[in-house]
Coordinates of all heavy atoms in Angstrom, one line a residue:
K1 N 90.6 72.0 116.9 CA 89.9 73.0 117.8 C 90.9 74.0 118.4 O 90.5 75.0 118.8 CB 89.1 72.3 118.9 CG 88.0 71.4 118.4 CD 87.2 70.8 119.5 CE 86.1 69.9 119.0 NZ 85.3 69.3 120.1
A2 N 92.2 73.6 118.4 CA 93.2 74.5 118.9 C 93.5 75.7 117.9 O 94.2 76.6 118.3 CB 94.5 73.8 119.3
Q3 N 93.0 75.6 116.7 CA 93.2 76.6 115.7 C 91.9 77.1 115.2 O 91.5 76.8 114.1 CB 94.1 76.1 114.5 CG 95.4 75.5 114.9 CD 96.3 75.2 113.7 OE1 96.3 75.9 112.7 NE2 97.1 74.2 113.9
P4 N 91.2 77.9 116.0 CA 89.9 78.4 115.6 C 89.9 79.3 114.4 O 88.8 79.6 113.8 CB 89.4 79.2 116.9 CG 90.7 79.6 117.5 CD 91.7 78.5 117.3
D5 N 91.1 79.9 114.0 CA 91.1 80.8 112.9 C 91.1 80.1 111.6 O 90.9 80.8 110.5 CB 92.4 81.7 113.0 CG 92.4 82.6 114.3 OD1 91.2 82.8 114.8 OD2 93.4 83.0 114.7
C6 N 91.4 78.8 111.6 CA 91.4 78.1 110.3 C 90.0 77.7 109.8 O 89.3 77.0 110.5 CB 92.3 76.8 110.5 SG 94.0 77.2 110.8
G7 N 89.6 78.3 108.7 CA 88.3 78.1 108.2 C 88.3 76.8 107.3 O 89.3 76.2 107.1
K8 N 87.1 76.5 106.8 CA 87.0 75.3 105.9 C 87.7 75.6 104.6 O 87.6 76.7 104.1 CB 85.5 75.0 105.7 CG 85.2 73.7 105.0 CD 83.7 73.5 104.9 CE 83.5 72.2 104.1 NZ 82.0 71.9 104.0
P9 N 88.4 74.6 104.1 CA 89.1 74.8 102.8 C 88.1 75.3 101.7 O 87.0 74.8 101.6 CB 89.7 73.4 102.5 CG 89.8 72.7 103.8 CD 88.7 73.2 104.6
Q10 N 88.6 76.2 100.9 CA 87.8 76.8 99.9 C 88.4 76.5 98.5 O 89.6 76.2 98.3 CB 87.7 78.3 100.0 CG 87.2 78.8 101.4 CD 85.7 78.4 101.6 OE1 84.9 78.5 100.6 NE2 85.3 78.0 102.8
F11 N 87.5 76.6 97.5 CA 87.9 76.4 96.1 C 88.8 77.6 95.7 O 88.6 78.7 96.1 CB 86.7 76.2 95.2 CG 86.0 75.0 95.3 CD1 84.8 74.9 96.1 CD2 86.4 73.8 94.8 CE1 84.1 73.8 96.3 CE2 85.7 72.6 94.9 CZ 84.6 72.6 95.7
K12 N 89.8 77.3 94.9 CA 90.7 78.3 94.5 C 90.4 78.9 93.1 O 90.0 78.1 92.2 CB 92.2 77.8 94.5 CG 92.7 77.4 95.8 CD 94.1 76.9 95.8 CE 94.6 76.6 97.2 NZ 96.0 76.1 97.2
S13 N 90.6 80.2 93.0 CA 90.4 80.9 91.7 C 91.6 81.7 91.4 O 92.2 82.3 92.2 CB 89.1 81.7 91.7 OG 89.0 82.5 90.6
K14 N 92.0 81.8 90.1 CA 93.1 82.6 89.7 C 92.9 84.0 89.9 O 93.8 84.8 90.1 CB 93.4 82.3 88.2 CG 94.8 82.8 87.8 CD 95.1 82.3 86.4 CE 96.5 82.7 85.9 NZ 96.9 82.1 84.6
K15 N 91.6 84.5 89.8 CA 91.3 85.9 89.9 C 91.0 86.3 91.4 O 91.0 87.5 91.7 CB 90.1 86.2 89.0 CG 90.3 86.0 87.6 CD 89.1 86.3 86.8 CE 89.3 86.1 85.3 NZ 88.1 86.4 84.5
A16 N 90.7 85.4 92.2 CA 90.2 85.7 93.6 C 91.1 86.6 94.4 O 90.7 87.6 95.0 CB 89.8 84.4 94.3
P17 N 92.4 86.3 94.5 CA 93.3 87.1 95.3 C 93.3 88.5 94.9 O 93.3 89.4 95.8 CB 94.7 86.4 95.2 CG 94.4 85.0 94.8 CD 93.1 85.1 93.9
R18 N 93.5 88.8 93.6 CA 93.6 90.2 93.2 C 92.2 90.9 93.3 O 92.2 92.1 93.5 CB 94.1 90.3 91.7 CG 95.5 89.8 91.6 CD 96.1 90.2 90.3 NE 97.5 89.7 90.3 CZ 98.5 90.5 90.7 NH1 98.3 91.6 91.2 NH2 99.8 90.0 90.6
Q19 N 91.1 90.2 93.1 CA 89.8 90.8 93.3 C 89.6 91.3 94.7 O 89.2 92.4 95.0 CB 88.7 89.8 92.9 CG 88.6 89.6 91.4 CD 87.6 88.6 91.0 OE1 87.2 87.8 91.8 NE2 87.2 88.6 89.7
G20 N 89.9 90.4 95.7 CA 89.8 90.7 97.1 C 90.8 91.9 97.5 O 90.4 92.7 98.2
F21 N 92.0 91.9 96.9 CA 92.9 92.9 97.1 C 92.4 94.3 96.7 O 92.5 95.2 97.5 CB 94.2 92.6 96.3 CG 95.2 93.7 96.3 CD1 96.0 93.9 97.4 CD2 95.4 94.5 95.2 CE1 97.0 94.9 97.4 CE2 96.3 95.5 95.2 CZ 97.1 95.7 96.3
K22 N 91.8 94.4 95.5 CA 91.3 95.7 95.1 C 90.1 96.1 95.9 O 89.9 97.3 96.2 CB 90.9 95.5 93.6 CG 92.1 95.3 92.7 CD 91.6 95.2 91.2 CE 92.8 94.9 90.3 NZ 92.4 94.8 88.9
T23 N 89.2 95.2 96.3 CA 88.0 95.5 97.0 C 88.4 96.0 98.4 O 87.8 97.0 98.9 CB 87.1 94.2 97.2 OG1 86.8 93.8 95.9 CG2 85.8 94.6 97.9
D24 N 89.3 95.3 99.1 CA 89.7 95.7 100.5 C 90.4 97.1 100.4 O 90.1 98.0 101.3 CB 90.7 94.7 101.0 CG 90.1 93.4 101.3 OD1 88.9 93.3 101.4 OD2 90.8 92.4 101.4
R25 N 91.2 97.4 99.5 CA 91.9 98.7 99.4 C 90.8 99.8 99.1 O 90.9 100.9 99.7 CB 92.9 98.7 98.2 CG 93.7 100.0 98.0 CD 93.0 100.8 97.0 NE 92.9 100.1 95.7 CZ 92.1 100.5 94.8 NH1 91.3 101.5 95.0 NH2 92.0 99.8 93.7
A26 N 89.8 99.5 98.3 CA 88.8 100.5 98.0 C 88.0 100.8 99.2 O 87.6 102.0 99.5 CB 87.9 100.0 96.8
K27 N 87.6 99.8 100.0 CA 86.8 100.0 101.2 C 87.6 100.9 102.2 O 87.0 101.8 102.8 CB 86.5 98.7 101.8 CG 85.4 97.9 101.0 CD 85.1 96.6 101.8 CE 84.1 95.7 101.0 NZ 83.8 94.4 101.7
L28 N 88.8 100.6 102.4 CA 89.6 101.4 103.4 C 89.7 102.9 103.0 O 89.4 103.8 103.8 CB 91.0 100.8 103.5 CG 91.2 99.5 104.2 CD1 92.6 99.0 104.1 CD2 90.8 99.7 105.7
V29 N 90.1 103.1 101.7 CA 90.3 104.5 101.3 C 89.0 105.3 101.2 O 88.9 106.5 101.5 CB 91.0 104.5 99.9 CG1 91.1 105.9 99.3 CG2 92.4 103.9 100.0
N30 N 87.9 104.6 100.8 CA 86.6 105.3 100.7 C 85.9 105.6 102.0 O 85.1 106.5 102.1 CB 85.7 104.5 99.8 CG 86.1 104.4 98.3 OD1 86.9 105.3 97.9 ND2 85.7 103.4 97.6
N31 N 86.2 104.7 103.0 CA 85.4 104.8 104.2 C 86.1 105.5 105.4 O 85.5 105.8 106.4 CB 85.0 103.4 104.7 CG 84.0 102.8 103.7 OD1 83.3 103.5 103.0 ND2 84.0 101.5 103.7
Y32 N 87.5 105.7 105.3 CA 88.2 106.2 106.4 C 89.2 107.3 105.9 O 89.8 107.3 104.8 CB 89.1 105.1 107.1 CG 88.2 104.0 107.6 CD1 88.1 102.8 106.9 CD2 87.6 104.1 108.8 CE1 87.3 101.8 107.3 CE2 86.8 103.1 109.3 CZ 86.6 101.9 108.6 OH 85.9 100.9 109.0
D33 N 89.3 108.4 106.7 CA 90.2 109.5 106.4 C 91.6 109.3 107.0 O 92.6 109.8 106.5 CB 89.6 110.8 107.1 CG 88.3 111.2 106.4 OD1 88.1 111.0 105.2 OD2 87.5 111.8 107.1
Q34 N 91.7 108.4 108.0 CA 93.0 108.1 108.6 C 93.1 106.6 108.7 O 92.2 105.9 109.2 CB 93.1 108.7 110.0 CG 93.2 110.3 110.0 CD 93.3 110.8 111.4 OE1 92.6 110.4 112.3 NE2 94.1 111.9 111.5
I35 N 94.3 106.1 108.2 CA 94.5 104.6 108.2 C 95.8 104.3 108.8 O 96.8 105.0 108.5 CB 94.4 104.1 106.7 CG1 93.0 104.4 106.1 CG2 94.6 102.6 106.7 CD1 93.0 104.1 104.6
A36 N 95.9 103.3 109.6 CA 97.2 102.9 110.2 C 97.5 101.4 109.9 O 96.6 100.6 110.0 CB 97.2 103.0 111.7
I37 N 98.7 101.2 109.4 CA 99.1 99.8 109.1 C 100.5 99.5 109.6 O 101.2 100.5 110.0 CB 99.1 99.5 107.5 CG1 100.1 100.5 106.8 CG2 97.7 99.7 106.9 CD1 100.3 100.2 105.4
E38 N 100.9 98.3 109.7 CA 102.2 97.9 110.2 C 103.1 97.6 109.0 O 102.7 97.1 107.9 CB 102.1 96.6 111.0 CG 101.5 96.8 112.4 CD 101.5 95.5 113.2 OE1 100.6 94.7 113.0 OE2 102.4 95.3 114.0
D39 N 104.4 97.9 109.2 CA 105.5 97.6 108.3 C 106.0 96.2 108.7 O 106.9 96.1 109.5 CB 106.6 98.6 108.4 CG 107.7 98.3 107.3 OD1 107.4 97.5 106.4 OD2 108.8 98.9 107.5
L40 N 105.4 95.2 108.1 CA 105.6 93.8 108.5 C 107.0 93.3 108.0 O 107.4 93.6 106.9 CB 104.5 92.9 108.0 CG 103.1 93.2 108.5 CD1 102.1 92.3 107.8 CD2 103.0 93.0 110.0
D41 N 107.7 92.5 108.8 CA 108.9 91.8 108.4 C 108.5 90.5 107.9 O 108.5 89.5 108.7 CB 109.8 91.7 109.6 CG 111.2 91.2 109.2 OD1 111.4 90.9 108.0 OD2 112.1 91.1 110.1
V42 N 108.1 90.4 106.6 CA 107.5 89.2 106.1 C 108.5 88.0 106.1 O 108.1 86.9 106.4 CB 107.1 89.4 104.6 CG1 106.5 88.2 104.0 CG2 106.1 90.5 104.6
K43 N 109.8 88.2 105.9 CA 110.8 87.1 105.9 C 110.8 86.4 107.3 O 110.9 85.2 107.3 CB 112.1 87.6 105.6 CG 112.3 88.0 104.1 CD 113.8 88.2 103.8 CE 114.0 88.5 102.3 NZ 115.4 88.7 101.9
R44 N 110.7 87.1 108.3 CA 110.7 86.5 109.7 C 109.4 85.8 110.0 O 109.4 85.0 110.9 CB 111.0 87.6 110.7 CG 112.4 88.2 110.6 CD 112.7 89.1 111.8 NE 112.7 88.3 113.1 CZ 112.9 88.9 114.3 NH1 113.1 90.2 114.4 NH2 112.9 88.2 115.3
M45 N 108.4 86.1 109.3 CA 107.1 85.5 109.5 C 107.0 84.2 108.7 O 106.0 83.4 109.0 CB 105.9 86.4 109.0 CG 105.8 87.7 109.8 SD 104.7 88.9 109.1 CE 103.1 88.0 109.2
Q46 N 107.9 83.9 107.8 CA 107.8 82.7 107.1 C 108.4 81.5 107.8 O 109.6 81.1 107.7 CB 108.6 82.9 105.7 CG 107.9 83.9 104.9 CD 108.8 84.2 103.6 OE1 109.8 83.6 103.4 NE2 108.3 85.1 102.8
M47 N 107.6 80.9 108.7 CA 108.1 79.9 109.6 C 108.2 78.5 108.9 O 109.0 77.7 109.4 CB 107.1 79.8 110.8 CG 107.0 81.0 111.6 SD 105.8 80.9 112.9 CE 106.5 79.6 114.0

């Protein structure tokens, strides 16, 4: 209960990550004229 963001484990698909990636990108570009994102330091996030 201390980790409310963790959802129920889901089945894995080889195609799922790239399908979601393309869909999310299309929604952002099609629906918004201005988009702001962060330049993440991924290496420091790998705890």
